[in-house]
């Protein structure tokens, strides 16, 4: 019998089958032992007006504003039409205390979760976003006035990229590493992305999040927060990990100075950022501050005609996307040498052709095309601004620049749409202002509007001087040149926290650390540095070689013992010997150190 078994086992086919069976068994055990990270499908109640084909049908406010006379409530409205989107009751100090307590309690258990559990929540969230893009984009358009294409870039693309990167990298970035010897987020624009981006980072790092949204985007933030709450609940975790707060500035200091907050990331104006930093200092809360920019794009005259066409398309998107309401939007275009006139000729007809209006009119036009078979689609290129509060300031800055020698080739004033249903909307005419100099106030002020400033430069070095001539801002920048040496010169010399070479804003989609210098703030969020910045790093030093190598105090240095009662000179000579052995330059120095240890030990 034994001989028969041996004969069978020596047959190649039998051995192959046995090996395959064992391999399958081991694979099955491996797969069943791993935690399930697959996304779970779920649904959230979509606001009726955000559903496909549903048109907003609410009252048009006489004087659209987030403030309501005689009330503390926040008025939500569509800046493209002035139509009401409801009201939100602002948080009180007591409400803030309760929200922080809930988040802190939920975070205790969340901090114990595995990387696999965190990835599952993020994958679940990603699945929902990919299958509900239309509703998310429509909510952002209603609340901000931006176009659907702008929302696709600023809300969807950026968010799914950050989710994908975090899912792929969070464990590698956050797990303990070996080395040899020797909760709060404040955001203002890009409603969906700026609600989800800090949540992604917080969940990945085992934290809870207090999201303080802008009063101007309270409507959409409620829906976006419900998406995150449902993702957490669906995966079996507490939705209290995310607390969304809307409050007036008078109450915000209670939040930013709260001792229960471990970290603050603030994105907003410099004036408000200074208040946040001062408030956070009362509790010694660390901050990351992103305080806006006056980003310059330098275009060199070494680019050919085909490349210039591409550059112009990038500049148009960089300046006019989201109606210019982008913290890293291009606000100054610096043209070197002969490329200046070429840019004017190419930019002016494009800017004149931009169509301003309600972005959601496109949806109705598309529906009409589908139903009647005839195209009425006149897509909107530039939507509304979030508020009309800056219009007078913008018009004054432009008028002042013209009086100082700038040339206004198009725009320069608020825009009055022809549609009677949009007369309460907040629109500004796309503007091209040329011959701008650094002494003009408009070149020193963050505009946050659809305005392109064109500045002439005589050389790359002059362009560097112009790019650095707005010392209050040093956030991002763009460089366009076909010369590697010029690219390197400009990259090294322009004062900014981020640079895109022959592109605009690419560093953000690449998940590099995001932030500026000088008046644009300090610290970084995003990428590896951003995730680690939300952790309390702990340095741990262990005995090497399984405890075989341990620190032992030499007898001559052992305090309170007979051996340690030797003279100070002997102790000093011994320590000098240790230094010599460890760090002496050359073999002779190390030998001398060893001899000092032996002689004085």
């Amino acid at each position: 019998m034994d001989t028969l078994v041996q004969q069978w086992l020596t047959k190649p086919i039998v051995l192959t089958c046995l090996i395959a069976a064992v391999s399958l068994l081991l694979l099955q055990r491996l797969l069943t032992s791993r935690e399930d990270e697959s996304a779970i499908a779920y649904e959230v109640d979509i606001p009726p007006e955000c559903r496909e084909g549903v048109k907003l049908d609410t009252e048009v406010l006489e004087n659209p504003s987030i403030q309501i006379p005689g009330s503390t409530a926040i008025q939500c409205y569509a800046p493209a039409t002035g139509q009401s989107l409801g009201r939100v009751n602002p948080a009180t100090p007591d409400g803030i205390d309760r929200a922080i307590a809930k988040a802190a309690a939920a975070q205790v258990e969340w901090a114990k979760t595995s990387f696999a559990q965190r990835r599952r929540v993020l994958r679940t969230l990603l699945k929902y976003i990919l299958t509900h893009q239309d509703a998310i984009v429509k909510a952002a358009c209603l609340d901000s006035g931006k176009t659907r294409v702008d929302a696709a870039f600023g809300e969807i693309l950026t968010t799914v990229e950050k989710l994908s990167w975090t899912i792929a990298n969070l464990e590698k970035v956050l797990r303990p590493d070996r080395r040899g010897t020797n909760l709060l987020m404040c955001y203002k624009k890009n409603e969906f992305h700026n609600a989800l981006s800090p949540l992604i980072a917080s969940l990945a790092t085992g934290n809870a999040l207090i999201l303080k949204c802008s009063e101007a985007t309270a409507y959409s933030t409620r829906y976006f927060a419900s998406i995150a709450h449902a993702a957490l609940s669906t995966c079996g975790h507490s939705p209290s990990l995310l607390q969304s707060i809307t409050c007036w500035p008078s109450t915000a200091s209670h939040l930013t100075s709260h001792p229960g907050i471990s970290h603050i990331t603030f994105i907003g104006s410099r004036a408000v950022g200074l208040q946040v930093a001062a408030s956070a200092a009362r509790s010694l809360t660390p901050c990351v501050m992103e305080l806006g920019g006056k980003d310059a794009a330098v275009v060199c005259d070494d680019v050919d005609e085909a490349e210039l066409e591409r550059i112009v398309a990038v500049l148009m998107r960089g300046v006019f996307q989201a109606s210019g309401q982008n913290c890293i939007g291009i606000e100054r275009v610096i043209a070197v040498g002969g490329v200046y006139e070429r840019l004017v000729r190419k930019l002016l007809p494009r800017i004149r052709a931009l169509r301003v209006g309600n972005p959601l009119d496109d949806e109705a036009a598309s529906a009409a095309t589908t139903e009647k078979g005839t195209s009425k689609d006149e897509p909107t290129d530039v939507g509304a601004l979030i508020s009309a509060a800056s219009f007078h300031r913008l018009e004054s800055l432009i008028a002042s620049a013209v009086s100082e020698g700038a040339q206004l080739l198009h725009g320069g004033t608020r825009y009055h749409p022809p549609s009677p249903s949009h007369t309460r909307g907040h629109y500004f005419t796309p503007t091209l202002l040329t011959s701008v100099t650094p002494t003009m106030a408009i070149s020193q002020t963050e505009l946050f509007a659809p305005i392109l400033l064109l500045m002439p430069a005589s050389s790359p070095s002059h362009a560097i001087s112009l790019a650095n001539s707005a010392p209050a801002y040093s956030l991002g920048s763009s460089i366009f040149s076909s010369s590697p040496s010029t690219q390197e010169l400009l990259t090294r010399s322009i004062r900014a926290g981020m640079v895109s070479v022959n592109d605009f804003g690419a560093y953000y989609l690449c998940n590099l650390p995001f932030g500026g210098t000088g008046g644009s703030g300090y610290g970084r969020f995003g990428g590896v540095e951003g995730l680690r910045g939300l952790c309390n790093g702990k340095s741990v030093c262990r005995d090497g070689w399984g405890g075989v190598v341990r620190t032992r105090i030499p007898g001559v240095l052992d305090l309170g013992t007979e051996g340690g009662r030797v003279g100070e000179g002997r102790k000093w000579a011994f320590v000098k010997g240790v230094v010599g052995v460890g760090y002496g330059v050359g073999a002779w120095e190390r030998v001398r150190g060893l001899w000092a240890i032996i002689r004085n030990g």
Side-chain angles (χ1 to χ4, degrees):
M1 185 69 179
D2 291 341
T3 303
L4 182 62
V5 170
Q6 289 175 358
Q7 289 176 349
W8 273 98
L9 289 176
T10 56
K11 293 181 180 292
I13 188 170
V14 175
L15 287 173
T16 303
C17 290
L18 285 173
I19 292 171
V22 172
S23 299
L24 286 172
L25 181 62
L26 291 173
L27 179 61
Q28 182 182 14
R29 288 186 176 180
L30 178 64
L31 292 175
T32 54
S33 66
R34 291 183 62 184
E35 295 180 78
D36 188 0
E37 296 185 21
S38 59
I40 305 174
Y42 70 97
E43 292 296 329
V44 172
D45 287 337
I46 298 173
E49 60 275 10
C50 294
R51 294 171 185 161
E52 187 176 356
V54 177
K55 188 175 181 180
L56 183 63
D57 186 21
T58 58
E59 67 167 318
V60 177
L61 303 175
E62 184 65 28
N63 295 297
S65 171
I66 60 174
Q67 295 181 320
I68 305 171
S71 173
T72 61
I74 296 169
Q75 174 69 63
C76 303
Y77 69 93
T81 62
Q83 289 174 276
S84 173
L85 292 172
R87 297 180 178 183
V88 172
N89 289 321
T92 63
D94 287 342
I96 290 173
D97 290 343
R98 289 192 296 271
I100 293 174
K102 285 182 180 179
Q107 191 269 341
V108 173
E109 291 303 316
W110 180 252
K112 301 174 185 177
T113 55
S114 64
F115 289 126
Q117 289 174 304
R118 298 176 192 179
R119 280 194 293 265
R120 189 175 204 188
V121 173
L122 298 181
R123 284 194 170 101
T124 297
L125 195 55
L126 176 61
K127 181 180 179 69
Y128 181 91
I129 295 169
L130 292 174
T131 54
H132 295 80
Q133 296 180 54
D134 291 336
I136 293 169
V137 163
K138 191 168 182 180
C141 291
L142 281 171
D143 213 12
S144 69
K146 67 178 64 173
T147 70
R148 287 187 293 177
V149 171
D150 287 345
F153 280 120
E155 315 292 356
I156 302 299
L157 182 61
T158 51
T159 303
V160 297
E161 168 58 30
K162 180 154 189 172
L163 276 166
S164 299
W165 182 89
T166 305
I167 290 167
N169 292 281
L170 72 90
E171 185 168 0
K172 178 175 64 178
V173 171
L174 298 175
R175 67 188 175 200
D177 61 344
R178 292 181 176 272
R179 300 187 182 185
T181 55
N182 294 344
L183 254 249
L184 165 76
M185 306 283 173
C186 295
Y187 284 82
K188 63 176 182 179
K189 202 65 182 118
N190 286 340
E191 301 75 21
F192 181 68
H193 179 65
N194 286 337
L196 269 291
S197 178
L199 177 67
I200 294 166
S202 294
L203 294 181
T205 51
N207 291 306
L209 173 69
I210 309 296
L211 175 69
K212 192 282 180 189
C213 71
S214 166
E215 306 91 275
T217 57
Y219 161 78
S220 58
T221 301
R222 286 186 299 184
Y223 170 43
F224 300 152
S226 73
I227 294 173
H229 288 149
L232 287 163
S233 298
T234 300
C235 294
H237 305 289
S238 173
S240 295
L241 283 165
L242 170 63
Q243 298 291 318
S244 179
I245 288 176
T246 305
C247 65
W248 293 111
S250 58
T251 309
S253 62
H254 183 78
L255 180 63
T256 52
S257 64
H258 201 288
I261 298 297
S262 300
H263 174 91
I264 294 175
T265 296
F266 174 80
I267 299 179
S269 70
R270 187 178 183 183
V272 178
L274 291 172
Q275 296 177 27
V276 170
S279 178
R282 296 204 291 270
S283 299
L284 293 179
T285 303
C287 299
V288 169
M289 311 295 285
E290 193 270 89
L291 307 180
K294 190 71 178 173
D295 291 11
V298 177
V299 183
C300 296
D301 57 1
D302 57 12
V303 296
D304 60 28
E305 199 65 17
E307 174 64 0
L308 188 60
E309 284 289 346
R310 186 193 70 84
I311 292 170
V312 167
V314 173
L315 294 177
M316 290 292 293
R317 179 58 63 181
V319 174
F320 297 105
Q321 182 162 306
S323 302
Q325 299 169 111
N326 185 351
C327 58
I328 55 169
I330 296 172
E331 294 222 357
R332 297 175 295 157
V333 177
I334 300 171
V336 180
V339 81
Y340 179 85
E341 294 297 336
R342 294 162 64 197
L343 277 175
V344 173
R345 289 195 298 270
K346 291 181 181 296
L347 287 168
L348 183 55
R350 280 177 172 256
I351 295 172
R352 284 175 173 165
L354 291 175
R355 290 159 294 203
V356 181
N358 178 10
L360 295 181
D361 283 347
D362 297 354
E363 184 180 48
S366 297
T369 301
T370 302
E371 293 171 7
K372 300 180 180 180
T374 57
S375 177
K376 293 184 178 181
D377 198 359
E378 284 292 332
T380 299
D381 299 311
V382 179
L385 272 70
I386 197 74
S387 167
S390 64
F391 285 1
H392 177 71
R393 176 180 64 90
L394 294 173
E395 290 171 341
S396 297
L397 285 168
I398 292 169
S400 175
V402 170
S403 70
E404 295 176 45
Q407 294 182 317
L408 180 61
L409 301 187
H410 187 71
T413 61
R414 65 195 72 193
Y415 177 79
H416 301 285
S419 173
S421 62
H422 303 343
T423 55
R424 297 291 187 270
H426 307 320
Y427 300 96
F428 200 87
T429 307
T431 297
L432 176 59
L433 192 66
T434 64
S435 301
V436 176
T437 66
T439 59
M440 299 174 183
I442 199 167
S443 68
Q444 302 293 320
T445 307
E446 184 180 27
L447 302 178
F448 223 57
I451 299 173
L452 191 155
L453 306 180
L454 190 59
M455 308 176 74
S458 59
S459 64
S461 59
H462 185 207
I464 292 168
S465 175
L466 291 176
N468 294 336
S469 66
Y473 300 101
S474 302
L475 187 57
S477 61
S478 295
I479 292 166
F480 298 93
S481 172
S482 61
S483 166
S485 60
T486 302
Q487 294 171 9
E488 185 67 16
L489 172 66
L490 293 170
T491 299
R492 289 181 175 274
S493 303
I494 291 178
R495 188 172 57 247
M498 302 165 290
V499 180
S500 283
V501 178
N502 289 326
D503 208 339
F504 153 69
Y507 40 75
Y508 193 74
L509 277 177
C510 293
N511 279 289
L512 295 175
F514 187 98
T517 61
S520 287
Y522 53 84
R524 296 292 185 268
F525 61 86
V528 173
E529 291 81 358
L531 284 183
R532 289 182 175 173
L534 296 179
C535 302
N536 290 320
K538 180 178 290 185
S539 300
V540 179
C541 185
R542 301 183 188 277
D543 295 327
W545 299 95
V548 175
V549 179
R550 293 187 177 183
T551 300
R552 286 181 170 80
I553 304 300
V556 70
L557 302 179
D558 197 358
L559 298 175
T561 66
E562 189 67 30
R565 291 175 183 161
V566 298
E568 184 66 21
R570 183 176 167 188
K571 291 181 180 181
W572 174 236
F574 181 89
V575 173
K576 285 179 67 177
V578 171
V579 174
V581 169
Y583 308 99
V585 179
W588 178 241
E589 290 291 328
R590 293 174 184 263
V591 170
R592 288 179 58 187
L594 180 60
W595 175 244
I597 292 174
I598 295 171
R599 189 177 60 180
N600 296 286

